[in-house]
Amino acid sequence: PKVMAPYVPIPGEPPRKVLIDRLKKLYESLSIEELLRQEGVDYAHPDSAEEAWLPLEAFDDTTYECRIPENWIDLGEGKEGFMPIPGKGLCRNEDGDFEWRKVLIYSYNSEQEVFEGVWEGTSEKCKLPRIRLLLESEDPRTFARRVATAYQSRIFADSLLKYHFFIDNMPLDDLPELDSEQISRILRMAYSYRKEKDPPPENKRSDEEKKLLVDVKRNFQMTMNKIIFDQYTTGGMEGLIEPDLQLPPMDIEKEVPEFGMICTFTQFPQKFSKFCFQTLYIKEEVSRAIVKIRQECLAIDDKDIFETEFDKVMRIEEFKQREESYIFQCGNYMRETWINKIKDLINSCFDHVGKGWFNIHETSKDTYEYGKLKKLLTLIRLMMEESILNLSQRCLHKYQKIILSYLP
């Protein structure tokens, strides 16, 4: 059975093998025959239903599937070779009825979309579509719902075909037709894209326009027939047509909202207050400071930690001296200039804020720990560390590329 559990046991949780053994025992205790009876499926006489002329396989809902067919076959692969996959298949017995019988699956035919195997205890080969095959490693309850859904979908499809067949073949005599005003309104709408004020008169219409008008009139009459048919079938005269149609439930029309907006969640004041308590961006000064600091962090991307441009051949001592000088200059710029710029930006942005979440003149350690200024400074520190990391990686790759270019 398929379980969603880690391979490495978690303390306090049952191991994966224990969960698999539990599911195996549970699946063995369930009877597919009884589950299908509870779902209202007559598996023993599938050909006796009115809708049996439609193949059940066409209505199989594959969203119930937990594995693709190829993965089911892969479960038989082992260290000792391939072992057939056990299961139960729907088989016709000598009396002409159907029953669930044990089967051994060996392969899957992707062209015919059937599983191939033999009935257990015999050498008789069989080909079973997925809807008629219960594999031992899958949940019988899910499979029973899958079969019941396929049966119900087939009933709906049969009823819909009959429903549209009845409407299409209802007589069109004595039905109201489109009057001249309605036809003129349709033609005006059809000619509106041509920027013509009025459509041509009836004697000057083209053959294509006349054919389209005939189709429109026929669709109007068929719509009237549909309305009449629905009134008879839903107005207390269900026995007018035998057998009664089992149409799928109609979609419930959504109520038109009073306002042109969608309420995404309730209790907006409380949630907005909680959001403001958690976020840093509640003041304009914060956004302005983050933007300026980000600009300073991006500015150091143009710096170089190592010297990579050499105009002459030099000894190793001179090379080391020039590299150390370059590294010192870059480090000195970041320690003295870059950090001081960021400090000045923070002071200039928050110097006039005063008491509150971002008071840079706060002297109480407890207030500082609880306030948002500490979170803001932590964010700025992480931004600076990220910039230094990116600079170091870029310069290191550039330095490595230059050194490798001088190798013979």
Side-chain angles (χ1 to χ4, degrees):
K2 189 172 185 178
V3 296
M4 302 300 293
Y7 287 91
V8 179
I10 300 176
E13 299 291 336
R16 182 183 179 87
K17 292 184 178 180
V18 174
L19 294 176
I20 294 176
D21 291 338
R22 289 177 180 176
L23 286 179
K24 284 182 178 179
K25 294 179 180 179
L26 175 62
Y27 294 169
E28 290 175 358
S29 65
L30 298 174
S31 172
I32 184 60
E33 294 85 355
E34 184 62 29
L35 291 173
L36 290 175
R37 291 192 191 99
Q38 295 176 3
E39 295 287 346
V41 175
D42 184 12
Y43 67 88
H45 308 89
D47 298 333
S48 61
E50 291 287 339
E51 66 281 353
W53 64 279
L54 293 172
L56 186 64
E57 296 79 12
F59 304 94
D60 185 14
D61 188 358
T62 57
T63 57
Y64 287 97
E65 189 68 89
C66 61
R67 291 185 176 94
I68 61 176
E70 290 75 11
N71 287 350
W72 284 115
I73 301 301
D74 292 340
L75 294 179
E77 298 292 343
K79 297 180 180 179
E80 299 179 357
F82 182 81
M83 298 293 294
I85 304 169
K88 285 186 176 181
L90 195 61
C91 174
R92 187 187 294 271
N93 56 25
E94 297 178 355
D95 299 333
D97 298 334
F98 284 83
E99 62 181 359
W100 291 95
R101 184 177 174 185
K102 291 186 178 181
V103 66
L104 299 176
I105 299 300
Y106 285 90
S107 61
Y108 174 74
N109 190 329
S110 58
E111 295 182 358
Q112 301 179 7
E113 296 184 350
V114 293
F115 286 86
E116 299 176 344
V118 296
W119 300 112
E120 190 177 68
T122 67
S123 58
E124 182 183 357
K125 296 182 179 180
C126 62
K127 293 183 178 181
L128 297 171
R130 186 66 179 90
I131 196 65
R132 301 184 185 273
L133 173 63
L134 170 63
L135 295 169
E136 191 179 68
S137 299
E138 68 173 319
D139 191 347
R141 297 165 298 183
T142 304
F143 181 78
R145 290 194 297 269
R146 178 177 183 172
V147 175
T149 302
Y151 269 81
Q152 188 61 55
S153 299
R154 187 171 67 173
I155 293 174
F156 287 155
D158 177 71
S159 297
L160 283 173
L161 289 173
K162 293 178 180 178
Y163 174 78
H164 290 291
F165 176 79
F166 295 150
I167 294 176
D168 292 344
N169 290 275
M170 288 177 65
L172 303 178
D173 302 335
D174 301 329
L175 286 177
E177 298 182 355
L178 292 173
D179 56 30
S180 58
E181 176 61 28
Q182 291 173 325
I183 295 176
S184 299
R185 190 161 58 248
I186 293 173
L187 290 174
R188 282 198 299 270
M189 289 188 293
Y191 276 85
S192 61
Y193 78 98
R194 297 185 180 181
K195 298 181 180 180
E196 298 180 8
K197 294 183 179 180
D198 297 320
E202 184 176 359
N203 56 356
K204 293 186 178 180
R205 294 173 187 169
S206 62
D207 294 337
E208 290 78 7
E209 293 172 347
K210 293 179 181 179
K211 291 180 181 179
L212 290 175
L213 281 176
V214 171
D215 292 339
V216 170
K217 292 178 181 179
R218 177 172 175 79
N219 290 335
F220 175 78
Q221 290 178 325
M222 294 181 64
T223 303
M224 297 301 296
N225 276 338
K226 181 179 181 300
I227 295 174
I228 296 172
F229 187 85
D230 291 341
Q231 288 178 348
Y232 273 98
T233 55
T234 60
M237 300 184 67
E238 290 82 356
L240 182 65
I241 298 175
E242 296 292 346
D244 295 336
L245 300 179
Q246 298 186 32
L247 299 176
M250 298 180 63
D251 295 335
I252 301 177
E253 295 184 1
K254 296 183 179 179
E255 184 179 357
V256 179
E258 184 177 359
F259 302 101
M261 60 180 181
I262 299 176
C263 183
T264 56
F265 53 84
T266 58
Q267 299 179 350
F268 177 78
Q270 295 85 346
K271 294 184 179 181
F272 182 72
S273 176
K274 184 178 180 180
F275 170 77
C276 293
F277 181 78
Q278 296 291 338
T279 185
L280 296 175
Y281 302 97
I282 60 175
K283 285 185 173 293
E284 183 181 354
E285 291 81 1
V286 178
S287 301
R288 189 184 302 115
I290 292 296
V291 171
K292 292 182 178 179
I293 292 171
R294 174 60 68 183
Q295 291 176 350
E296 291 296 330
C297 291
L298 293 176
I300 67 171
D301 286 343
D302 298 332
K303 301 293 180 180
D304 285 322
I305 300 178
F306 307 103
E307 184 179 5
T308 55
E309 296 181 0
F310 308 105
D311 54 355
K312 63 177 182 178
V313 179
M314 63 189 74
R315 294 183 177 274
I316 187 65
E317 291 79 8
E318 183 182 357
F319 175 76
K320 288 183 179 180
Q321 183 179 2
R322 293 181 62 172
E323 291 295 344
E324 290 174 355
S325 174
Y326 223 85
I327 295 173
F328 176 78
Q329 291 178 7
C330 182
N332 186 63
Y333 170 81
M334 298 180 68
R335 285 191 300 269
E336 301 297 334
T337 306
W338 186 55
I339 293 179
N340 289 331
K341 281 185 178 181
I342 294 178
K343 288 181 180 179
D344 295 339
L345 285 175
I346 296 174
N347 289 328
S348 62
C349 291
F350 296 98
D351 187 48
H352 61 283
V353 171
K355 294 182 178 181
W357 290 112
F358 301 99
N359 183 16
I360 61 175
H361 303 291
E362 183 62 56
T363 56
S364 174
K365 186 176 184 301
D366 294 336
T367 305
Y368 169 75
E369 292 288 341
Y370 183 74
K372 293 186 177 182
L373 182 61
K374 180 181 179 181
K375 298 179 181 178
L376 176 63
L377 295 179
T378 302
L379 175 62
I380 295 173
R381 176 175 59 82
L382 293 175
M383 292 170 58
M384 297 171 65
E385 290 178 355
E386 181 186 21
S387 300
I388 295 174
L389 176 63
N390 294 335
L391 173 64
S392 302
Q393 291 178 343
R394 181 182 60 81
C395 292
L396 182 61
H397 290 309
K398 183 179 179 181
Y399 181 76
Q400 180 188 20
K401 185 178 179 180
I402 292 296
I403 295 299
L404 293 176
S405 66
Y406 286 101
L407 293 179

